[in-house]
Amino acid sequence: MNFDFEQLFFYAILICGIIIFTDFLLFSKKRKLNGRKMPAMVDYARCFLPVLLIVFTLRSFIYEPFRIPSGSLKPTLLVGDFILVNKFTYGLRLPILHTKLFAISEPKRGDIVVFRKPPKDSPDLIKRVIGVPGDHIVYKDKQLFINGQAIPQQFEKYDMDQRDNYDPWQVAQKQENLLGVTHDIYQIPARENDDFDVIVPKGHYFMMGDNRDDSADSRVWGFMPEENIIGKATNVLVSFDTLTHPIRWLRTGEKIV
């Protein structure tokens, strides 16, 4: 089940505000004259409202935590990673409405971005920016081309990958240089090629997972609209793997590239 914490905080703030305002207009003066005690509901609303406002502001405009739900970005990000998402890197947006107030920068090739899944707003996804508006993207025989330029891949090793209770399978780990952004990817040698040839339209981005043959991304649901952007992934806060390692201590604070 997916929860929209932004809306949850918004409605909690709204309810607290209504309780406090209603009490101020209708009951507080009479209560003071009669020497009566403040109702618990009003007292709780007054205590929670400042905290809710601070958390809501931080989550909406500055930083937001995000949990990696799948292995589509392996080996860069693992299931159970809790990451920090910078909400102001690309500009400030109104909470709930998601309307951009002003731009600061635009997503670049290689950025890992959290966004609302198109065409629906839920659930939130995280992928790597492969193509920006106007780019000609070709993926052929597991080789990526951007604007006619082959993106270098260097084989590192064979590894094993696994999902849930499925049997593990072999993957080839390679280092890819995405026009200056160097990162690792997984490819499944036994999986058929998923070739495509597209041009990224204006106001959209082409997104892919680093786990190239095990990622539902722009190859499946199309281009990511600019208005769906939530923020840029920056660091791993903490990482949990309940099956083998309760906490992956070495990943704590790791910068995301």
Side-chain angles (χ1 to χ4, degrees):
M1 184 179 293
N2 295 290
F3 294 95
D4 190 329
F5 285 100
E6 189 175 67
Q7 287 193 10
L8 186 65
F9 276 105
F10 175 78
Y11 288 125
I13 290 170
L14 187 63
I15 291 169
C16 288
I18 290 173
I19 291 171
I20 294 169
F21 188 65
T22 303
D23 177 70
F24 175 76
L25 285 181
L26 303 178
F27 306 110
S28 63
K29 290 183 178 180
K30 293 181 180 179
R31 187 173 62 246
K32 289 177 180 178
L33 290 174
N34 297 329
R36 302 172 76 178
K37 195 175 180 180
M38 180 183 296
M41 182 173 62
V42 179
D43 191 26
Y44 283 131
R46 289 166 66 96
C47 290
F48 286 136
L49 183 60
V51 177
L52 290 169
L53 283 170
I54 291 171
V55 174
F56 182 74
T57 301
L58 288 173
R59 286 180 58 94
S60 299
F61 298 107
I62 304 176
Y63 284 102
E64 178 180 342
F66 181 82
R67 181 183 182 276
I68 302 300
S70 73
S72 67
L73 272 167
K74 289 181 178 178
T76 307
L77 294 174
L78 308 178
V79 178
D81 283 353
F82 282 84
I83 67 170
L84 199 60
V85 179
N86 188 320
K87 302 290 289 287
F88 59 86
T89 296
Y90 304 126
L92 293 183
R93 298 174 185 270
L94 285 174
I96 308 298
L97 299 176
H98 308 301
T99 303
K100 182 182 284 189
L101 297 175
F102 60 87
I104 295 176
S105 66
E106 300 296 334
K108 301 177 181 61
R109 298 184 199 92
D111 287 358
I112 294 182
V113 175
V114 176
F115 56 96
R116 290 176 295 280
K117 180 182 178 181
K120 298 180 180 180
D121 286 347
S122 168
D124 295 341
L125 297 180
I126 180 168
K127 306 290 178 187
R128 189 180 296 274
V129 177
I130 299 298
V132 299
D135 277 350
H136 181 200
I137 308 296
V138 174
Y139 195 63
K140 185 175 177 61
D141 298 331
K142 301 186 188 296
Q143 173 67 56
L144 184 64
F145 298 84
I146 299 179
N147 299 326
Q149 180 178 343
I151 302 304
Q153 294 177 353
Q154 182 177 344
F155 176 82
E156 293 184 325
K157 63 180 180 179
Y158 285 109
D159 205 343
M160 301 301 292
D161 193 13
Q162 188 174 13
R163 181 174 9 134
D164 299 328
N165 296 320
Y166 290 88
D167 291 334
W169 57 87
Q170 186 183 63
V171 294
Q173 181 171 329
K174 299 179 180 179
Q175 186 183 77
E176 182 177 81
N177 188 337
L178 188 61
L179 302 179
V181 178
T182 302
H183 62 101
D184 288 342
I185 62 172
Y186 274 171
Q187 293 179 338
I188 305 176
R191 186 74 55 86
E192 291 184 5
N193 297 332
D194 185 16
D195 297 345
F196 61 87
D197 185 331
V198 297
I199 295 178
V200 184
K202 183 179 179 181
H204 293 74
Y205 295 85
F206 194 88
M207 316 294 292
M208 291 179 71
D210 291 347
N211 199 349
R212 291 291 164 77
D213 295 315
D214 193 25
S215 172
D217 45 40
S218 285
R219 293 169 289 182
V220 176
W221 39 255
F223 303 104
M224 188 269 292
E226 188 275 338
E227 59 266 24
N228 284 38
I229 292 173
I230 294 175
K232 180 181 178 181
T234 59
N235 296 86
V236 177
L237 290 174
V238 66
S239 182
F240 293 94
D241 182 354
T242 55
L243 294 178
T244 57
H245 304 92
I247 300 180
R248 305 182 185 104
W249 293 106
L250 293 178
R251 295 185 63 77
T252 303
E254 184 176 284
K255 186 176 181 181
I256 297 172
V257 179

